[in-house]
């Protein structure tokens, strides 16, 4: 049998070595050597005017040999190693080992050092050292170590940052770049003397850089870190930065920002302190580091939880009272809670490999809601979790393109793809379900056990289940199956079930049947649902009209059964029953028509008898079941009529999410679309008038969010009173010179701007653009740009799109570019068509400039595609740009939309027009 070899070219010093590489060892490093400690010295040439600057570095790694080996495997990408500088020696005997050459495995991003005529011996400790030259990337490639340029006080400024997660430490220094290969780190950073550097640990000392050819530079030496993964190593070099500090307790907190925004970060610093204190108390595990820095960075879209050094986009850390909306304030609070949760889940205890990324991201997502709910109870975040996370991911997970929470990664390029909504949102939903099954006390204690058992180490999914199993035994929690068996049906299966309840009213019995829920069935797919395929162990909670004040009943639907008679059901024939109370389980529920009618009658009579989350769930389930063809749309629309009596945020928000799909699908059919809007206006008007009478000064943050949502949709559907109100407020704003906060409520600025610009003309659009340029508040800028995108003037929309190419005299900060594209695609049909055409013309440039991030923009632009000509557009786009996976996904969604129009348009049209007869 012949083994195939590839040729690799590695530049070492000034010698080009060409060598054959051994057969592929797989995406994982061999475990011959285990790192114990790194000393990393980095000197990024931050003042170099060239576009592609460099990074000088050296690394010394203390390793322990686990298995005899003549080779040293490391990760390195885009790094030139100086062969002559490499030193390998035995830590005890000082015996030298010479490296005769270096080879490279490009696919797996390995560099392999070949020892000359010797082996490293099992059980011995060695030191590996080398000098190298790497890249200091620019902002368009913000991975590894990169520079970011921005304007501050009217002058150009710059900072340099690292972004290592998941596999980009290897772009900064040669290393064992896998999460389970933890080590201590001693970081030394060279920087210009007028700048500041920050790293994971506190600064130990600063040394002058004498005789090294860099006058005006200094070395910052940081304290040795605790054991951590390479992806958490972090360095930031800041220019003209200011900071706020808070030192309550044993942990020093600092929030760094450019001077012009520092006052806007005060609220976030207070939130950070509260979240740090909450997690220490809730988890009963102290934060181990002496400090926590947080850096507000311009023009980045993410936040990263580096241990002791959170790096976040400014938009998540700034807040201006009276200008920033409640919704934005809530998002920022959640982001801070999420990154703080990672200091324990991800940093203190780290996933063993990326297959279990949900252990990091699912935990941080769910616990952020727990934390904010406890610290800021007025936000009602535990309730909002169902809308923000659970119901949103139930859409993605109902597609044939979904995947399991537990994901295998066999290739390097697959690693980045695991950071998706399934890992974050479905992973978090699994944890919420576990919390409800075993009880809050046991869940909390199980988290503590998990952390204390594995602190400074790594975990796999089984470790997590073991901690909760042990705690459940101690607390005498009784379950019919062990925790691992239950939960792995949810983390290993793709998708989720719909449970169909069939009642025998005369016998007072019921049967529950499960099957995988799919929004549409591809005629070419072969989803099997017999035997054990795609079946779950389902906790069936239910309540009835006579038991709403009691704990819900609990029964179990076993994995080996598609249908099961519910024991001891005994519900009178004239009473409704609701399953999956408060949506604690990750499944949908369908009923027979009689039970749906009983629920409808209760909602019309007194909706408060059904729990708030369950009311939101009923609306969400009914419209998604109808969309999938499992329920008549007439039943769903009838249920929605009860909303004239609804006063809570969750059911309304759930309804707007359901209506938005129908609104988009009908947009191409003017008569039917108008009938749908009139139906929706009839439902929404009583609530809009009630909320408007109360005004926007309501101190309840959830009530203010409800007012914002109701106003948004009332104005979008052209409810007369709403449009007149928006136009009046906007005109008053244009006529006044004082602060807009006095005139335009923060929670309504986006919808008022959008409505005015959609209904008026050029001067209103120009006014918003002027206000955008004058503002230095991120949330206000976002609201104004989104409002400007509502114009129906395609010339203005084309102008805005041209801004995003970066070659216009009207320069935007790059953080706004994709938001502009997505806002235009979201607001009007002409805007969607314009965006799709624009993306087709400039796709390659946009992908290059914005780090492969325009995918979400084209998904929005194509969201209304629902006819055969739209499929032809997608084929043409794919032929031109070769985006196979992306276009395949959009193609399948478009096919589903075509199916929907074919199946549902006619009956919906008839039902809507009957209402107007």
């Amino acid at each position: 049998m012949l083994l195939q070899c590839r040729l690799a070219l590695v530049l070492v010093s000034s010698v080009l070595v060409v060598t054959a590489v051994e057969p592929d060892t797989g995406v994982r490093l061999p475990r011959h050597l285990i790192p114990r400690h790194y000393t990393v010295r980095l000197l990024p040439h931050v003042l170099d005017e060239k576009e592609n600057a460099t990074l000088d570095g050296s690394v010394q790694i203390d390793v322990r040999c686990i298995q005899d080996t003549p080779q040293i495997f490391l990760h390195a990408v885009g790094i030139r190693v100086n062969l002559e500088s490499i030193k390998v020696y035995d830590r005890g005997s000082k015996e030298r080992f010479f490296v005769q050459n270096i080879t490279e495995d490009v696919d797996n991003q390995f560099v392999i050092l070949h020892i000359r005529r010797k082996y490293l011996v099992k059980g011995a400790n060695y030191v590996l050292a080398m000098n190298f030259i790497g890249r200091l990337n620019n902002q368009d490639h913000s991975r590894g170590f990169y520079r970011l340029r921005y304007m501050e006080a009217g002058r150009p400024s710059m900072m340099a940052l690292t972004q290592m997660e998941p596999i980009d430490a290897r772009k900064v220094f040669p290393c064992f770049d896998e999460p389970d290969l933890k080590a201590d780190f001693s970081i030394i950073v060279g920087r210009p003397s007028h700048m500041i550097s920050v790293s994971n640990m506190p600064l130990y000392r600063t040394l002058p850089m004498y005789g090294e050819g860099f006058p005006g530079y200094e070395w910052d030496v940081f304290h040795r870190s605790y054991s951590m993964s390479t992806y958490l190593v972090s360095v930031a070099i800041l220019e003209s930065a200011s900071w706020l500090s808070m030192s309550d307790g044993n942990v020093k907190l600092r929030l760094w920002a450019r001077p012009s925004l520092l006052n806007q970060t005060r609220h976030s610093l207070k939130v950070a302190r509260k979240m740090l204190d909450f997690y220490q108390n809730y988890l009963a595990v102290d934060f181990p580091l002496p400090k926590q820095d947080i850096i507000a960075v311009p023009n980045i879209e993410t936040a990263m939880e580096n241990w002791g050094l959170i790096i976040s986009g400014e938009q998540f850390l700034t807040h201006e009272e009276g200008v920033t909306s409640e919704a934005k304030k809530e998002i920022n609070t959640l982001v801070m809670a999420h990154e703080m949760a990672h200091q324990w889940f991800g940093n203190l205890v780290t996933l063993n490999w990326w297959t279990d990324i949900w252990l990091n991201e699912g935990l941080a997502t769910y616990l952020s809601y727990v934390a904010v709910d406890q610290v800021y109870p007025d936000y009602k975040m535990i309730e909002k979790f169902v809308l923000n996370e659970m119901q949103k991911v139930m859409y993605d997970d109902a597609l044939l393109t979904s995947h399991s929470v537990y994901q295998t990664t066999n290739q390097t390029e697959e690693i980045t793809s695991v950071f998706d909504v399934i890992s974050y949102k479905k992973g978090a939903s699994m944890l919420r379900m576990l919390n409800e099954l075993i009880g809050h006390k046991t869940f909390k204690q199980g988290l503590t056990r998990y952390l204390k058992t594995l602190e400074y180490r790594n975990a796999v999914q089984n470790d997590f289940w073991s901690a909760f199993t042990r705690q459940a035994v101690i607390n005498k929690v009784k379950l019919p199956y062990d925790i691992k068996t239950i939960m792995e049906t949810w983390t290993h299966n793709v998708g989720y079930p719909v449970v169909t309840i069939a009642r025998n009213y005369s016998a007072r019995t019921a049967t529950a049947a499960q099957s995988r829920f799919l929004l549409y069935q591809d005629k070419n797919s072969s989803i099997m649902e017999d035997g054990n395929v795609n079946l779950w162990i389902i906790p069936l909670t239910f309540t009835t009209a006579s038991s709403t004040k009691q704990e819900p009943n609990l029964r179990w639907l076993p994995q080996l059964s598609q249908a099961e008679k519910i024991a001891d059901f005994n519900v009178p024939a004239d009473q409704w029953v609701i399953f999956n109370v408060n949506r604690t389980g990750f499944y949908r529920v369908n009923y027979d028509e009689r039970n749906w009618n009983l629920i409808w009658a209760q909602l019309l009579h007194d909706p408060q008898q059904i729990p708030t989350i369950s009311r939101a769930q009923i609306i969400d389930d009914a419209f998604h079941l109808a969309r999938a063809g499992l329920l008549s749309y007439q039943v769903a629309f009838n249920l929605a009529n009860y909303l004239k009596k609804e006063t809570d945020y969750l059911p309304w928000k759930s309804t707007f999410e359901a209506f938005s799909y129908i609104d988009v699908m009908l947009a191409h059919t003017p008569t039917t679309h108008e009938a749908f809007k009139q139906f929706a206006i009839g439902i929404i008007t009583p609530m809009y008038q009630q909320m408007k009478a109360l005004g926007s000064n309501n101190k309840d943050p959830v009530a203010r969010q409800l007012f914002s949502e109701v106003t948004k949709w009332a104005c979008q559907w052209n409810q007369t009173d709403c449009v007149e109100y928006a136009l009046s407020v906007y005109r008053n704003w244009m006529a006044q010179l004082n602060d807009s906060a006095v005139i335009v409520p923060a929670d309504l600025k986006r919808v008022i701007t959008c409505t005015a610009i959609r209904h008026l003309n050029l001067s209103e659009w120009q006014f918003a653009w002027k206000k955008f340029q004058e503002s230095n508040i991120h949330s206000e800028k976002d609201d104004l740009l989104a409002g400007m995108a509502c114009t129906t003037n395609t010339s203005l929309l084309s102008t805005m799109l041209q801004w995003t190419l970066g070659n216009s005299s009207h320069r935007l900060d790059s953080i706004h570019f994709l938001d502009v594209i997505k806002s235009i695609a979201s607001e009007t049909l002409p805007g969607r068509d314009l965006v799709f055409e624009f993306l087709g013309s400039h796709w390659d440039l946009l992908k290059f400039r914005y780090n492969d991030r325009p995918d979400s923009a084209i998904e929005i632009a194509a969201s209304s595609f629902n006819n055969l000509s739209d499929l032809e557009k997608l084929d043409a786009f794919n032929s031109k740009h070769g985006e196979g996976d992306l276009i395949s996904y959009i193609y399948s969604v478009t096919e589903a939309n075509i199916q929907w129009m074919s199946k549902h348009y006619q009956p919906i049209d008839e039902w809507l027009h009957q209402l107007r007869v």
Side-chain angles (χ1 to χ4, degrees), residues 32-66:
H32 302 147
L33 301 171
I34 303 298
R36 297 298 180 83
H37 175 254
Y38 292 77
T39 299
V40 181
R41 184 183 294 260
L42 301 172
L43 176 56
H45 296 276
V46 294
L47 301 182
D48 191 335
E49 294 298 327
K50 295 195 298 288
E51 184 71 12
N52 297 309
T54 57
L55 163 73
D56 291 336
S58 67
V59 62
Q60 178 178 300
I61 314 174
D62 290 80
V63 299
R64 182 163 182 81
C65 187
I66 305 301

Side-chain angles (χ1 to χ4, degrees), residues 77 90 121 228 263 271 343 464 469 480 494 545 558 568 643 688 735 855 871 887:
V77 176
D90 186 296
V121 180
M228 63 182 183
N263 283 335
V271 172
Q343 305 304 307
F464 192 69
T469 298
V494 180
D568 304 320
L643 287 154
Y688 171 72
D855 290 8
L871 293 178
I887 297 303

Side-chain angles (χ1 to χ4, degrees), residues 547-615:
S547 63
T548 55
K549 305 299 183 184
Q550 305 169 13
E551 281 293 310
N553 299 279
L554 174 62
R555 305 291 186 270
W556 290 87
L557 187 55
Q559 184 183 19
L560 299 182
S561 174
Q562 285 185 293
E564 192 85 0
K565 186 174 181 179
I566 301 171
D568 304 320
F569 185 67
N570 198 31
V571 177
D574 61 347
Q575 288 192 17
W576 51 262
V577 61
I578 291 173
F579 277 76
N580 199 14
V581 181
N582 286 324
R583 184 150 259 169
T584 54
F586 195 77
Y587 58 92
R588 298 194 184 279
V589 184
N590 199 1
Y591 304 98
D592 55 73
E593 186 176 356
R594 183 172 174 179
N595 195 71
W596 277 117
N597 287 332
L598 288 168
I599 293 171
W600 179 30
Q602 178 63 66
L603 289 171
L604 289 173
H605 174 66
D606 182 7
Q608 299 299 320
Q609 290 301 309
I610 297 174
T612 304
I613 295 176
S614 289
R615 299 200 301 276

